[in-house]
Amino acid sequence: VCQLWMENPDGTLMRVGVLPHTGIQSMRIPAQLGSGSRFKVSIEPADRLPKKRPTDKFVFEGNLTRI
């Protein structure tokens, strides 16, 4: 599954949730994130989701933009 992470400018990672296979899903973004924060996506085994760090490299990342 695709796991969504948020990263603070200081490199601290926060797990946000699992991205849906199809459709739309709302997720709460950690309040302590601000400008310079980035989102990242890793691919994880569905039965063993990591809590602190992804099990492999990130497959996608981008800037967080307030809308």
Side-chain angles (χ1 to χ4, degrees):
V1 296
C2 293
Q3 176 78 47
L4 179 65
W5 303 82
M6 301 305 296
E7 182 181 51
N8 279 329
D10 67 2
T12 303
L13 279 174
M14 290 167 265
R15 183 175 53 104
V16 178
V18 174
L19 297 175
H21 292 287
T22 61
I24 297 171
Q25 179 177 336
S26 296
M27 294 183 191
R28 289 185 171 260
I29 301 300
Q32 58 269 42
L33 294 171
S35 65
S37 296
R38 295 178 58 79
F39 66 88
K40 298 185 174 199
V41 176
S42 64
I43 298 177
E44 307 294 344
D47 60 340
R48 292 174 293 163
L49 291 175
K51 303 256 188 245
K52 297 185 180 188
R53 306 269 327 154
T55 56
D56 205 354
K57 297 178 183 178
F58 290 108
V59 296
F60 186 82
E61 61 183 273
N63 294 324
L64 181 64
T65 304
R66 185 178 297 270
I67 54 173

